[in-house]
Amino acid sequence: MFRDVQIEFVKKADCRVSVVAEEGPSVCMKVEDKKLVNDTILCVLYDIHFDSSTQEVRCEYNLFESSGVLCCHYLAVFHSYKVYKVPTYYVLPRWCKNIKRKHTYVKSSHDFSQSDESHTEFRGSCAHFYNIAQEFVNDDDKTALLHAALEETRAKLTAHHAKKRFESMVDTHTSIGSQGSNVVSVVDIQVPSKVTTKGRPKSKRLGAALE
């Protein structure tokens, strides 16, 4: 995926952006993309719509809609309007390295490990959410209220998870520190006894120190 995005960044150098119409934050433009076909350079024009207030882009090339990768035309528009950080809604969770695959919670007759406690809780929560959604799905006001309540609950759970993780880290560091102090208190390091060496005594020649 990194390589696919990198290729689009390289292709961005062959794109030229020109504004066709502009009304408030909405901008209509053409992106000229130079392509090499059979040793011949072809210029292909694509219609792009850009909203500078939300940094949302729509391109008729539809690479993002089909594969979830921003095409070179998106990147050319972002560069032209000095948008140097990709908006979060264009970074799909499925391409992130720390994504937790939700399909692993789906029950399968080929996987007996699906019957553990986490999957049972997941299926129970889904059934509970489904019943609530089914009851209020026909009322827009109630649906909006339900969504707001879910977002609030999600924020509380996220904060709770972060707090628990921080407390766990503090406990771990405290435990390591206490173990280290216990080791220091138990181990008693003594100065080694002075032992008279055996063998030939040291030379008392006058030149020994100079040497």
Side-chain angles (χ1 to χ4, degrees):
M1 181 51 57
F2 175 80
R3 296 299 180 191
D4 291 343
V5 176
Q6 193 175 50
I7 290 173
E8 295 301 319
F9 265 98
V10 173
K11 291 166 60 178
K12 177 177 68 69
D14 297 326
C15 297
R16 188 170 64 89
V17 180
S18 58
V19 177
V20 177
E22 187 171 357
E23 184 177 351
S26 181
V27 183
C28 297
M29 59 191 74
K30 296 278 189 182
V31 174
E32 180 181 322
D33 187 3
K34 294 181 180 179
K35 299 178 180 294
L36 183 62
V37 180
N38 296 328
D39 296 331
T40 303
I41 297 178
L42 300 178
C43 295
V44 183
L45 294 176
Y46 294 95
D47 292 323
I48 308 292
H49 296 274
F50 175 65
D51 191 329
S52 58
S53 61
T54 60
Q55 298 181 346
E56 183 179 357
V57 184
R58 295 195 310 275
C59 175
E60 65 174 342
Y61 190 62
N62 289 329
L63 180 63
F64 179 76
E65 288 76 8
S66 61
S67 61
V69 179
L70 290 179
C71 64
C72 56
H73 316 120
Y74 273 79
L75 301 175
V77 171
F78 285 153
H79 181 76
S80 178
Y81 282 85
K82 294 181 172 56
V83 180
Y84 297 127
K85 185 177 180 179
V86 175
T88 55
Y89 43 82
Y90 287 125
V91 182
L92 300 183
R94 68 174 182 265
W95 301 135
C96 297
K97 291 192 292 185
N98 59 347
I99 181 64
K100 186 174 183 180
R101 302 293 179 183
K102 295 181 175 59
H103 65 263
T104 58
Y105 289 110
V106 178
K107 186 177 181 180
S108 172
S109 59
H110 302 286
D111 189 0
F112 295 101
S113 64
Q114 301 288 342
S115 59
D116 60 15
E117 185 177 354
S118 62
H119 292 83
T120 302
E121 293 178 354
F122 176 77
R123 291 194 295 271
S125 298
C126 286
H128 188 57
F129 294 153
Y130 176 80
N131 292 334
I132 296 176
Q134 190 177 34
E135 185 175 355
F136 301 108
V137 70
N138 295 324
D139 192 312
D140 294 340
D141 294 335
K142 293 179 180 179
T143 301
L145 184 62
L146 176 61
H147 289 175
L150 287 174
E151 288 300 325
E152 182 181 358
T153 304
R154 180 180 182 180
K156 290 181 179 179
L157 290 173
T158 302
H160 178 73
H161 176 72
K163 180 181 178 182
K164 288 294 184 181
R165 184 176 181 182
F166 175 76
E167 291 176 351
S168 176
M169 292 175 61
V170 171
D171 293 340
T172 301
H173 289 301
T174 304
S175 176
I176 293 175
S178 62
Q179 290 176 5
S181 62
N182 290 337
V183 171
V184 172
S185 62
V186 171
V187 178
D188 187 12
I189 301 177
Q190 300 291 337
V191 177
S193 301
K194 187 174 181 180
V195 180
T196 303
T197 59
K198 300 179 181 180
R200 182 179 178 181
K202 294 182 179 180
S203 175
K204 295 184 179 181
R205 293 188 304 110
L206 294 177
L210 179 62
E211 291 172 359

